[in-house]
Amino acid sequence: DQQVKQNSPSLSVQEGRISILNCDYTNSMFDYFLWYKKYPAEGPTFLISISSIKDKNEDGRFTVFLNKSAKHLSLHIVPSQPGDSAVYFCAASARKAGANNLFFGTGTRLTVIP
Amino acid sequence: GAGVSQSPSNKVTEKGKDVELRCDPISGHTALYWYRQSLGQGLEFLIYFQGNSAPDKSGLPSDRFSAERTGGSVSTLTIQRTQQEDSAVYLCASSPDRAGETQYFGPGTRLLVL
């Protein structure tokens, strides 16, 4: 039972344009959401997070939006750069419920075309 | 400071053999997690340590899997009598204190069971 879903396995974007990566979740207890970036042969690297008390968090070129009513979050990268090409994982946690782990989506492979 | 390290980086073994995977978390991080990623799948939670105790072992797929942590630092994941379906990337992560915080991942161990 996949509680965090990334329905797009891949995405290609031209350099300089916006990349939008989407994520849906089913568990209403989730209150903390994260995006990780993974290059081949490396572990996931933390990118940005958002608490359920917010609907937007911005860090440089990266912005995460959270729509709790739709149980949907998205990661916007603008402008996209070739070095952003990687697999992006969405993850969620139920911190207030004392959850011990993160639930991950299956990832979206982003390719930024120079 | 050093990040999470894992060894070996790659392991090829024969079906039925036992394997040990090691994780060195970030110094001072009390929480440690093991995940695995099978081909084409998201990250699957295996076990969580707080200090040397494992309050959550719910993700271990069978009794062939066990893990321990000593001195609140290094952890070892042991898989006994390996099967081909155990082939995956095994990832270790650590976080500063309580569960559900942002987790920092090691590079993973790629296990191939022939």
Side-chain angles (χ1 to χ4, degrees):
Chain A
D1 179 27
Q2 194 76 21
Q3 298 189 51
V4 177
K5 299 177 184 177
Q6 295 176 258
N7 293 320
S8 298
S10 63
L11 174 68
S12 291
V13 171
Q14 288 286 339
E15 180 178 5
R17 299 290 186 102
I18 185 171
S19 297
I20 300 177
L21 299 144
N22 293 303
C23 178
D24 297 290
Y25 60 96
T26 58
N27 189 340
S28 57
M29 298 296 289
F30 287 150
D31 55 11
Y32 186 59
F33 304 89
L34 310 91
W35 284 93
Y36 283 84
K37 174 179 175 180
K38 187 179 183 303
Y39 293 117
E42 295 183 10
T45 303
F46 170 71
L47 197 56
I48 192 169
S49 64
I50 188 167
S51 166
S52 60
I53 62 173
K54 294 185 174 181
D55 54 18
K56 176 182 175 182
N57 189 25
E58 188 173 353
D59 183 3
R61 296 185 296 113
F62 302 91
T63 303
V64 56
F65 294 92
L66 176 63
N67 182 334
K68 290 186 290 293
S69 60
K71 294 192 177 67
H72 177 85
L73 66 156
S74 60
L75 175 67
H76 293 210
I77 307 173
V78 58
S80 301
Q81 299 174 353
D84 296 330
S85 297
V87 177
Y88 289 79
F89 290 96
C90 170
S93 173
R95 292 199 298 185
K96 286 182 183 172
N100 299 315
N101 58 296
L102 297 176
F103 292 84
F104 284 84
T106 51
T108 297
R109 181 177 301 278
L110 173 66
T111 302
V112 180
I113 303 164
Chain B
V4 178
S5 61
Q6 293 185 245
S7 60
S9 53
N10 291 282
K11 177 72 177 178
V12 181
T13 191
E14 294 179 350
K15 178 180 170 182
K17 296 286 181 70
D18 297 351
V19 295
E20 277 192 358
L21 312 179
R22 177 188 167 107
C23 171
D24 280 275
I26 293 172
S27 177
H29 281 194
T30 58
L32 184 147
Y33 314 79
W34 283 98
Y35 293 85
R36 74 175 176 182
Q37 185 181 16
S38 303
L39 191 63
Q41 302 296 313
L43 277 72
E44 174 192 3
F45 168 74
L46 297 178
I47 187 170
Y48 154 67
F49 286 92
Q50 183 62 43
N52 290 337
S53 63
D56 189 349
K57 304 179 183 180
S58 61
L60 294 178
S62 76
D63 59 7
R64 296 186 295 105
F65 287 72
S66 63
E68 64 175 15
R69 189 179 184 195
T70 55
S73 181
V74 172
S75 176
T76 303
L77 176 69
T78 301
I79 310 173
Q80 295 179 310
R81 305 180 303 282
T82 53
Q83 304 293 312
Q84 288 181 332
E85 61 262 29
D86 299 335
S87 298
V89 177
Y90 288 81
L91 290 154
C92 175
S94 69
S95 66
D97 44 36
R98 58 192 174 96
E101 292 288 347
T102 301
Q103 298 174 19
Y104 299 88
F105 283 82
T109 294
R110 279 151 194 79
L111 174 66
L112 178 60
V113 182
L114 301 176

